[in-house]
Amino acid sequence: MTDAELRELLELTDPAEQKTLFASAYAEKLRHTGPNVSLRGLIEISNICRKNCFYCGIRSGNRKLKRYRVGKEEIVASALWAYRHHYGSVVLQSGETVSEEFTAFIESAVREIMERSEGKLGITLCCGEQESRVYERWRKAGARRYLLRIETSDPEFYGKLHPADHNFQARVNCLRRLRELDYQVGSGVMIGLPGQTTDQLVRDLRFFEESDLDMIGMGPYIPHEDTPLGRGIEMTQEYRNGQLGKGLRMIACTRLLLKDVNIAATTALQALADDGRERGLLAGANVIMPNVTDLSYRRRYQLYADKPNLDENSEESRDDLIRRIHSIGETILWDQHGDSRHYFNRKQKEQKT
Ligand code: 5AD
Ligand code: SF4
């Protein structure tokens, strides 16, 4: 596909044309993963973050927020809950902390989850930019996948979304190191940011392609009122629909372009429409990350407004999710890691050369 074609697809407004786009992306997904959904239990382990991104509700500058870190025993308990309920894998997500204490904490949590699930639960980490040796320790402890969103692939635009000391190239370097350390590597962007152009989204797609990523996690931008970027943006129904449409079209284009990667239907889609994640699946996504964090913490991990499932416990969300996924004719891959096909395909290629 050419850049011009991608641009045109990303800008579709006609409902019938969009339907055709989603249907062809869905057909592409069927070729690679079948009508299946992989689940990852998401554990939001800490809202403490040293970064101050202009769009994010848990940025360090948000003094209104009470900060927490879930204890190790509780993290392990949530992971084992996910394991017993046949989720094949978990994601440990956290704001960015760089310290030996944090490194050792994550390392020991990963190790303990591995031990107590007899090595059967897949573990993905999403703990920001770290030194190589930190990624290495976590990989050795048993983490197999890492998510680090680039947020936007345009360095200049990145500079507008972040304070001056947040470094685009450092993030790109982290992605490269993670790959060298044999993680399955995921990245992604926010879609529909104020000031973002369609050409930038096309470049984001090219960035995914060139980085040869294994997993894509991206979602529509949703304003948060306690942030510099979100203040004063009114969340009208029209705005919500617009953001959701952009997010879905970006998922569809990613599937058409990258084919065998894992693509998440993220919670941000659900924040914009009750059936947002299902619509993500039907536009080409194949992964859902149900929140399994203890309810007492959920309100304090709000990256954006209207975060869903604040009051629904893991048991309830699981039942609800099963019903929703079945209603669109898809099957949940219970007890499987749901590894990225792309990762194995690229490993095979690497061995041949
Ligand atoms: N809207 C949507 N996504 C957001 N994120 C942070 N703030 C927002 C927001 N206001 C995303 C970023 C980050 C991920 C954990 O959440 O892409 O990488
Ligand atoms: Fe921290 Fe991530 Fe939020 Fe930035 S987007 S403030 S790094 S949690």
Side-chain angles (χ1 to χ4, degrees):
M1 265 192 290
T2 64
D3 286 1
E5 282 167 332
L6 288 171
R7 195 178 310 125
E8 198 177 313
L9 293 175
L10 290 171
E11 285 184 346
L12 287 182
T13 49
D14 180 68
E17 286 174 349
Q18 291 195 66
K19 225 170 145 186
T20 309
L21 167 65
F22 299 150
S24 55
Y26 189 71
E28 190 67 49
K29 161 186 148 164
L30 291 183
R31 275 195 277 283
H32 297 284
T33 60
N36 301 313
V37 185
S38 297
L39 301 182
R40 288 97 180 70
L42 174 66
I43 309 172
E44 294 161 339
I45 59 182
S46 174
N47 67 355
I48 300 167
C49 188
R50 67 182 190 138
K51 291 279 181 73
N52 207 10
C53 310
F54 295 150
Y55 44 83
C56 175
I58 68 170
R59 65 201 299 269
S60 57
N62 182 2
R63 308 263 172 240
K64 283 193 191 168
L65 202 60
K66 209 170 143 213
R67 304 287 165 165
Y68 73 88
R69 189 207 279 173
V70 183
K72 195 179 83 178
E73 269 319 302
E74 268 183 283
I75 295 174
V76 174
S78 294
L80 293 178
W81 181 91
Y83 177 57
R84 280 196 308 278
H85 288 79
H86 308 286
Y87 290 26
S89 72
V90 288
V91 179
L92 309 189
Q93 185 175 53
S94 156
E96 188 174 295
T97 296
V98 173
S99 71
E100 170 53 33
E101 191 274 333
F102 183 73
T103 302
F105 178 81
I106 297 294
E107 187 177 37
S108 100
V110 169
R111 213 165 255 143
E112 193 159 335
I113 293 169
M114 287 302 279
E115 273 166 26
R116 295 185 48 192
S117 68
E118 293 158 341
K120 292 199 183 109
L121 200 56
I123 303 176
T124 306
L125 294 177
C126 181
C127 303
E129 292 168 40
Q130 302 284 345
E131 295 278 339
S132 235
R133 52 167 202 89
V134 174
Y135 288 147
E136 198 175 343
R137 277 168 66 181
W138 292 345
R139 179 76 184 85
K140 284 208 178 106
R144 297 156 48 98
R145 300 191 278 235
Y146 205 99
L147 302 171
L148 184 71
R149 290 191 183 181
I150 194 70
E151 314 297 1
T152 172
S153 64
D154 179 340
E156 204 178 306
F157 191 44
Y158 189 93
K160 292 190 179 141
L161 301 170
H162 301 95
D165 61 349
H166 293 29
N167 187 327
F168 176 82
Q169 196 52 47
R171 232 167 154 78
V172 174
N173 294 346
C174 283
L175 288 172
R176 203 196 54 236
R177 274 192 235 115
L178 287 162
R179 190 181 154 103
E180 286 164 3
L181 290 165
D182 199 30
Y183 279 96
Q184 293 175 44
V185 183
S187 192
V189 296
M190 280 173 290
I191 306 149
L193 288 155
Q196 190 179 40
T197 64
T198 308
D199 282 336
Q200 285 169 334
L201 291 173
V202 172
R203 281 178 55 182
D204 291 342
L205 290 166
R206 295 295 179 209
F207 176 88
F208 299 161
E209 204 177 23
E210 284 154 16
S211 317
D212 202 17
L213 296 168
D214 304 307
M215 317 176 290
I216 306 293
M218 61 187 171
Y221 164 72
I222 303 174
H224 187 298
E225 61 175 18
D226 299 322
T227 62
L229 203 70
R231 206 166 291 137
I233 299 182
E234 210 191 324
M235 287 261 272
T236 60
Q237 195 53 45
E238 195 186 348
Y239 180 80
R240 284 169 183 277
N241 294 344
Q243 294 297 89
L244 180 64
K246 278 183 203 167
L248 294 173
R249 291 192 295 276
M250 191 71 175
I251 287 178
C253 288
T254 303
R255 176 60 71 196
L256 290 172
L257 203 61
L258 303 189
K259 307 201 185 296
D260 58 356
V261 298
N262 276 347
I263 303 177
T266 53
T267 314
L269 296 171
Q270 195 191 3
L272 292 169
D274 181 55
D275 62 350
R277 287 180 306 179
E278 294 89 284
R279 289 165 71 180
L281 294 175
L282 293 173
N286 68 313
V287 170
I288 286 191
M289 296 158 58
N291 202 327
V292 300
T293 314
D294 190 274
L295 278 184
S296 57
Y297 300 109
R298 289 215 202 156
R299 276 181 199 285
R300 287 189 254 156
Y301 206 95
Q302 292 196 65
L303 306 171
Y304 43 77
D306 298 340
K307 177 182 178 182
N309 304 330
L310 285 177
D311 297 312
E312 199 176 52
N313 69 34
S314 306
E315 202 85 51
E316 288 160 353
S317 3
R318 182 174 182 272
D319 294 343
D320 178 54
L321 192 65
I322 296 174
R323 196 178 42 72
R324 285 164 178 271
I325 290 175
H326 289 166
S327 79
I328 58 164
E330 294 247 305
T331 305
I332 297 172
L333 297 176
W334 297 113
D335 293 314
Q336 295 187 32
H337 286 168
D339 286 320
S340 162
R341 288 260 169 124
H342 184 78
Y343 171 79
F344 294 108
N345 291 343
R346 79 170 157 88
K347 286 273 135 187
Q348 253 178 6
K349 264 194 235 159
E350 280 165 18
Q351 271 166 9
K352 277 189 201 143
T353 53

